[in-house]
Amino acid sequence: MVAAFGVLLLATLFQGSFGICFKKYKPFSWEAFWALFSVIGVLLMPNIWAFIWIGKDYFHYLSQTPWQMLIGGVAAGFFWGVSAIWYSLAIDDIGVSLVTGINMALSNLLGSLVPMVVLHAYPKTATFIAILAGQAVLIAGVVVLSKAGFMKSSRMKQAELQKAEGARSGKNSKFMVGFIMALASGAGSAAVNIGATLSKTPIDLAVSGGVKPMYATLLGWVVVFFGGFLSNFGYALYKLIRNKTYKDYVKPGCGIAYGKVLLTSFVWFAAMGLYGFAVSMLGRLGPVIGWVMFNGLALIVANIWGFVDGEWKGHRKPRNVALVGNLIIVIALVLLGATNAM
């Protein structure tokens, strides 16, 4: 069990560091970077990991699976890809801190409770109550963190808000659109864990064929992120053609950007691959408890990067609120960790 939490911790370090890797990729435009990331990170990385850990026959288990057993995972992955677009659009409407809080709360609720229903992995009443209590505390921590981000954002945008005082009705309409997209993005984030849970058939075939259960989980990511590749790459390609930014690939100094794509692709999928390993090691309730801890710890790591990068510099009161939010999340993780031993 200690080893499982160790692997989960390593996965969260990668997940929480992903945002830092995604910064500063000039001279690429967003779509030039995202199109390559979609190919290398979302499509190729899951297959490379499956080839390394399962062997060259890994695709055999996928081909032996009826397509009806794969469509759910692919659809969930496609929805996750679309939700990434909604996430970025919602940020433009209501701000990154509020979107992140909404996204994280819904992702944790759906991403842990839906797999419980899919797997019929219902715990004992006392354990279930403890899981719900841990979820409630975790959401409270996310709300406090979101409040800290909103406080900082409000200070920075106070002058702009005063100028927009006369356009309140239009502003409210825009807020509702952003709020709905933020909710949708949270459901999309949860779809990754749900999709992996729905993709159990090739995993079971691999285990029956002698593959260790921990490594067989990689087949679920191959299925889910194929769907994610379709939506992510499709949108990025559309933007490349419309904006004619495919010329970015030959701009002076683009070698550094290519390296950043490779680094980002590795860090991103290392988080997901190791998370899958940890879920397998955690046992029957792994997808339920593991997803909550994965998101919660990753949020703490991301906040640490924010402190190191100076995002809270000059914002003492919001920073202190953010520290309280992180402490609440730590308490929630202790509660959820204890449920796995109940």
Side-chain angles (χ1 to χ4, degrees):
M1 191 61 65
V2 174
F5 283 114
V7 174
L8 185 61
L9 177 61
L10 184 59
T12 60
L13 291 176
F14 281 116
Q15 177 73 359
S17 302
F18 170 65
I20 289 292
C21 292
F22 188 61
K23 289 183 177 180
K24 302 174 184 177
Y25 46 78
K26 298 296 182 182
F28 282 177
S29 59
W30 175 88
E31 55 266 29
F33 183 92
W34 203 255
L36 276 183
F37 169 73
S38 298
V39 173
I40 299 172
V42 183
L43 180 64
L44 295 182
M45 277 293 173
N47 285 275
I48 292 171
W49 274 55
F51 178 81
I52 291 172
W53 294 101
I54 298 176
K56 62 182 180 180
D57 294 331
Y58 82 93
F59 200 77
H60 169 74
Y61 302 115
L62 294 169
S63 63
Q64 291 296 107
T65 305
W67 69 269
Q68 297 92 332
M69 301 294 183
L70 299 175
I71 195 67
V74 173
F78 188 90
F79 181 50
W80 162 77
V82 173
S83 75
I85 300 169
W86 289 337
Y87 183 86
S88 62
L89 293 175
I91 286 175
D92 290 338
D93 286 344
I94 64 176
V96 65
S97 59
L98 189 56
V99 173
T100 301
I102 295 170
N103 178 283
M104 184 67 69
L106 191 58
S107 175
N108 276 309
L109 280 172
L110 296 179
S112 61
L113 296 182
V114 173
M116 185 187 299
V117 176
V118 172
L119 295 174
H120 301 288
Y122 302 108
K124 296 177 181 178
T125 302
T127 303
F128 185 63
I129 292 174
I131 290 174
L132 292 179
Q135 288 269 20
V137 176
L138 181 66
I139 291 174
V142 171
V143 169
V144 173
L145 274 177
S146 299
K147 174 64 176 177
F150 189 73
M151 289 168 62
K152 188 182 80 167
S153 179
S154 295
R155 289 186 174 191
M156 295 174 67
K157 297 181 179 179
Q158 187 172 6
E160 297 176 24
L161 290 174
Q162 289 174 348
K163 290 180 182 178
E165 189 71 28
R168 188 170 298 276
S169 60
K171 188 178 180 67
N172 287 338
S173 176
K174 190 175 182 180
F175 178 86
M176 284 306 301
V177 172
F179 182 78
I180 292 170
M181 286 193 295
L183 287 173
S185 75
S189 296
V192 172
N193 199 44
I194 296 168
T197 305
L198 291 172
S199 306
K200 276 186 58 63
T201 302
I203 296 173
D204 292 341
L205 288 174
V207 172
S208 299
V211 178
K212 290 184 178 180
M214 182 172 70
Y215 302 145
T217 59
L218 292 169
L219 293 173
W221 300 133
V222 173
V223 174
V224 171
F225 291 125
F226 175 73
F229 163 76
L230 293 177
S231 51
N232 275 287
F233 182 73
Y235 183 71
L237 183 62
Y238 162 74
K239 295 273 287 183
L240 277 173
I241 295 172
R242 190 188 70 173
N243 300 332
K244 297 182 179 179
T245 43
Y246 46 78
K247 299 174 183 178
D248 292 354
Y249 294 127
V250 293
K251 280 185 176 180
C254 64
I256 295 177
Y258 280 110
K260 198 66 179 289
V261 172
L262 291 173
L263 175 63
T264 305
S265 297
F266 173 78
V267 170
W268 174 76
F269 189 72
M272 303 310 301
L274 291 173
Y275 164 73
F277 290 173
V279 164
S280 176
M281 297 167 71
L282 283 170
R284 197 166 67 99
L285 291 178
V288 179
I289 297 169
W291 183 248
V292 179
M293 298 188 69
F294 177 65
N295 277 299
L297 283 168
L299 187 59
I300 291 176
V301 173
N303 273 273
I304 291 173
W305 277 116
F307 287 120
V308 171
D309 202 38
E311 291 183 1
W312 298 93
K313 188 176 182 180
H315 303 281
R316 184 176 59 85
K317 191 173 181 179
R319 181 201 63 197
N320 292 339
V321 174
L323 289 172
V324 172
N326 278 280
L327 178 60
I328 294 173
I329 289 175
V330 170
I331 294 172
L333 297 177
V334 171
L335 290 174
L336 289 164
T339 62
N340 209 54
M342 291 177 69

